[in-house]
Amino acid sequence: MYSAKMLELIKTVEATREERYKNEPNRLTADEKKALLNGYHPDYQDSGFGTIQVGKNKGEKAPIELVELLHANSRIKGIEFDFDTPKYDVDVLIIGGGGAGASAAIEAKKAGANVMIATKLRIGDANSTMAEGGIQAADKENDSPQQHYLDSMGGGHYANKPELLRRLVMDGPGAISWLENLGVMFDKELDGTMLSVSGGGISRKRLHACADYTGLEITRVLINEVRNLGVPIADYTAALELILDENGKVAGAVLMNMLTGEYVVAKAKTVIISTGGAGRMHYHGFPTTNHYGATADGLIMAYRVGASLLYQEAIQYHPTGVAYPTQLFGALVTEKVRSIGAQLVNIDGTAFVHPLETRDVVSSAIIRECGERGKGIPTPNGAGVWLDTPLIVKKSGASMIEQSIPGIMHMFQNYGIDIREVPILMYPTFHYQNGGIDIEAGGNTKEIENLFVAGEAIGGIHGRNRLLGNSMLDVVVFGRLAGKAAAEKAASVNLGKMSLKHIDDYAKTLEAAGIENDMVSPKLLPDYVRDLHKAYN
């Protein structure tokens, strides 16, 4: 329930609703957006970043928490392994059990490969399962992949890798068809026409959704297909390091049973990293929408064998994370809420930014309102701004909320807040890792043979800022691409003697750089007890 003070402040929102309904804020000019980003977005600030001192990206900046993990010791440093009798011996090893890993497994299996999935938690415990807003694809008459490309390139500040973005948009319509044929229940008109809506930075209505649980529905169908195909799944099995052969090619991974602590060797002709994002690193101290295992593991493992990172300093903060109640702090409220009519409003009842500017711009505007301008609404966790959801009811009726965003409606109802009647409090939350491992158009890493990447662990598809719905699309497009490519590659691979010499070599590089610490990586899981201890001591 809202406090008496909050209920009093809501009256200001109600008093200005009619005027805001008639006059929505104007779009910002390019110069205004640039100034806003430079002044307030965390990616554009010096604080919170360090310099990578070893490896392919030496001399480049990255969030301090990521730099610490890149400079940390391997969890298996000094441990000997029996490579002659691996526990697993497969053609394609997929590390990660979200939408990208599942898509890759389906295609690799259908291509005839012997494939398995190793996932740190349970299959489906992933950011893709938690996605709400939808999946973009240009499959309507008034749209085209070319227009989708232009929107995404602009949203990414023209930093997208053209060959990756081209693959994303060109394969988009086919990805939707593939998902629908597998059984995904997209929202449709009575005549069977697929519904689509717009979003921030999107010039056409090309966002396909399953109410506000699109990721859950897509992942459900993908996982069911993985199981139907008989793909082996090793739940609670984390990857600690990649294994190379004597010729420097990827040859598998060292895995650990998260329940028993047992180390095992998985030999593989090709490996696909689909480990997702890094939200549980809480860069810049932000809360996160991410699942519990999102700790950038794939980036660490790939970097240690010599792969490059791209845009590792670029993070997406979703503008509408829950600021209150505390039990929901940082939880996602999809951009779809704004695309169907809600506005962001400050303590004065002013709509201070167009609701469908790109996510980085809207996040910066909220940070400015709650900080420098002092126009935020006080909360137990700091401050937030109102998201005027009753404006949706005024525009389209209460049924719009019930039909389009039922999950969010019920989430707040659990705490005595009816979003059809009162606005909700928002503040930006760590949502997506824009940067990641640098790959080529075939889904393979640039430097390391037999290593492929899919999903959020890729860097470059989205440039420095991702548009709504493009993440679920890249999960499917690049998951399928990696699965097919890895299976095809595996058919011609002859591995040499397996080795972890690169772990010792990396340790020597750290020593030569004067880096000494007792940290280990990959992180695997957040340690909130330790972090609280550090904060108070």
Side-chain angles (χ1 to χ4, degrees):
M1 293 290 291
Y2 283 135
S3 67
K5 177 62 174 177
M6 290 175 178
L7 290 172
E8 186 65 27
L9 292 174
I10 286 174
K11 293 179 181 179
T12 304
V13 181
E14 295 170 339
T16 62
R17 186 171 292 141
E18 182 65 31
E19 178 60 28
R20 289 185 287 102
Y21 173 69
K22 297 176 182 176
N23 299 290
E24 199 159 57
N26 294 324
R27 296 274 190 172
L28 299 178
T29 66
D31 286 342
E32 288 171 333
K33 291 178 184 179
K34 183 177 180 180
L36 188 58
L37 292 170
N38 286 334
Y40 303 96
H41 195 280
D43 283 1
Y44 294 76
Q45 313 306 312
D46 291 333
S47 61
F49 291 101
T51 302
I52 302 171
Q53 297 182 39
V54 296
K56 294 287 186 178
N57 295 83
K58 180 179 179 179
E60 297 180 13
K61 78 171 187 177
I64 290 172
E65 297 84 353
L66 181 59
V67 171
E68 288 178 343
L69 294 188
L70 293 173
H71 290 173
N73 302 297
S74 171
R75 286 180 173 270
I76 60 171
K77 180 182 176 182
I79 300 175
E80 297 292 329
F81 292 90
D82 179 8
F83 294 129
D84 294 328
T85 56
K87 182 171 183 177
Y88 305 107
D89 190 346
V90 297
D91 296 328
V92 181
L93 170 64
I94 298 170
I95 303 174
S103 297
I106 292 167
E107 293 292 4
K109 181 68 174 180
K110 289 183 176 180
N114 176 15
V115 56
M116 70 168 286
I117 294 174
T119 182
K120 181 165 56 177
L121 300 175
R122 301 164 301 177
I123 189 167
D125 285 338
N127 288 346
S128 48
T129 302
M130 303 166 72
E132 294 175 352
I135 176 171
Q136 276 203 65
D139 59 357
K140 293 294 179 70
E141 290 184 359
N142 69 334
D143 202 358
S144 68
Q146 290 85 350
Q147 190 60 47
H148 188 181
Y149 181 95
L150 291 173
D151 288 348
S152 301
M153 185 64 77
H157 301 294
Y158 302 95
N160 318 56
K161 288 189 72 170
E163 63 271 28
L164 301 186
L165 182 56
R166 182 181 186 279
R167 187 67 186 248
L168 181 78
V169 302
M170 294 300 291
D171 288 5
I176 297 296
S177 178
W178 184 71
L179 290 171
E180 187 176 22
N181 289 335
L182 284 177
V184 173
M185 296 185 289
F186 289 108
D187 295 339
K188 295 181 179 180
E189 302 279 9
L190 292 177
D191 64 0
T193 303
M194 204 172 290
L195 285 169
S196 55
V197 299
S198 189
I202 303 174
S203 64
R204 301 288 190 275
K205 292 183 176 182
R206 72 170 70 96
L207 191 69
H208 303 60
C210 312
D212 59 351
Y213 45 84
T214 306
L216 179 63
E217 169 63 5
I218 289 175
T219 310
R220 174 191 71 82
V221 170
L222 293 174
I223 291 173
N224 283 347
E225 184 66 7
V226 168
R227 289 180 170 140
N228 289 340
L229 292 171
V231 175
I233 303 165
D235 284 327
Y236 298 111
T237 302
L240 303 184
E241 295 291 353
L242 297 172
I243 300 169
L244 300 180
D245 74 359
E246 58 191 341
N247 301 310
K249 301 175 183 178
V250 161
V254 175
L255 309 178
M256 184 184 75
N257 186 308
M258 294 288 286
L259 303 179
T260 66
E262 176 192 9
Y263 297 129
V264 298
V265 171
K267 183 178 181 181
K269 295 177 180 177
T270 57
V271 174
I272 300 173
I273 290 177
S274 56
T275 50
R280 292 290 168 169
M281 303 286 287
H282 296 288
Y283 297 156
H284 300 281
F286 277 77
T288 186
T289 63
N290 285 193
H291 79 102
Y292 196 63
T295 50
D297 298 351
L299 275 60
I300 305 303
M301 290 185 286
Y303 196 74
R304 228 166 344 231
V305 297
S308 298
L309 304 181
L310 182 64
Y311 304 147
Q312 67 278 353
E313 76 282 8
I315 304 299
Q316 180 164 93
Y317 300 89
H318 198 292
T320 48
V322 178
Y324 181 88
T326 299
Q327 297 91 328
L328 298 176
F329 187 52
L332 177 63
V333 172
T334 172
E335 190 170 322
K336 188 177 180 182
V337 180
R338 285 175 281 132
S339 73
I340 61 175
Q343 289 179 345
L344 291 160
V345 181
N346 65 21
I347 197 169
D348 297 331
T350 301
F352 56 88
V353 66
H354 192 283
L356 295 183
E357 294 284 6
T358 55
R359 288 175 172 178
D360 53 354
V361 170
V362 179
S363 293
S364 300
I366 294 172
I367 292 170
R368 179 186 62 187
E369 293 299 302
C370 293
E372 181 179 290
R373 289 187 173 179
K375 299 292 186 179
I377 294 85
T379 73
N381 299 301
V385 297
W386 296 114
L387 182 60
D388 190 9
T389 47
L391 192 58
I392 300 171
V393 178
K394 183 174 179 62
K395 290 181 177 181
S396 306
S399 62
M400 176 61 78
I401 289 179
E402 294 159 9
Q403 293 171 10
S404 297
I405 49 172
I408 292 169
M409 182 181 74
H410 294 311
M411 179 174 71
F412 279 94
Q413 281 179 333
N414 289 334
Y415 297 93
I417 298 170
D418 190 337
I419 69 172
R420 295 167 296 187
E421 298 179 359
V422 292
I424 48 182
L425 284 163
M426 301 287 105
Y427 192 79
T429 180
F430 185 152
H431 185 56
Y432 192 83
Q433 173 183 271
N434 285 319
I437 303 164
D438 197 1
I439 68 166
E440 297 180 327
N444 55 297
T445 57
K446 294 175 61 177
E447 299 91 354
I448 308 300
E449 193 168 344
N450 303 343
L451 182 60
F452 298 80
V453 191
E456 194 173 347
I458 296 173
I461 301 173
H462 310 291
R464 296 185 176 276
N465 178 65
R466 178 179 62 80
L467 294 186
L468 164 69
N470 274 350
S471 61
M472 285 309 300
L473 184 60
D474 92 51
V475 157
V476 176
V477 168
F478 285 91
R480 295 181 71 195
L481 170 66
K484 292 175 183 176
E488 180 180 358
K489 174 69 173 176
S492 61
V493 168
N494 292 305
L495 293 174
K497 185 178 180 180
M498 300 172 74
S499 169
L500 287 172
K501 180 179 178 296
H502 60 280
I503 300 299
D504 294 332
D505 291 343
Y506 195 85
K508 291 175 182 177
T509 303
L510 291 173
E511 183 180 351
I515 299 171
E516 295 183 13
N517 58 64
D518 58 359
M519 289 187 66
V520 295
S521 64
K523 186 166 184 163
L524 300 184
L525 296 173
D527 187 348
Y528 291 120
V529 174
R530 187 203 68 179
D531 293 343
L532 280 173
H533 179 77
K534 286 172 62 179
Y536 287 99
N537 289 278

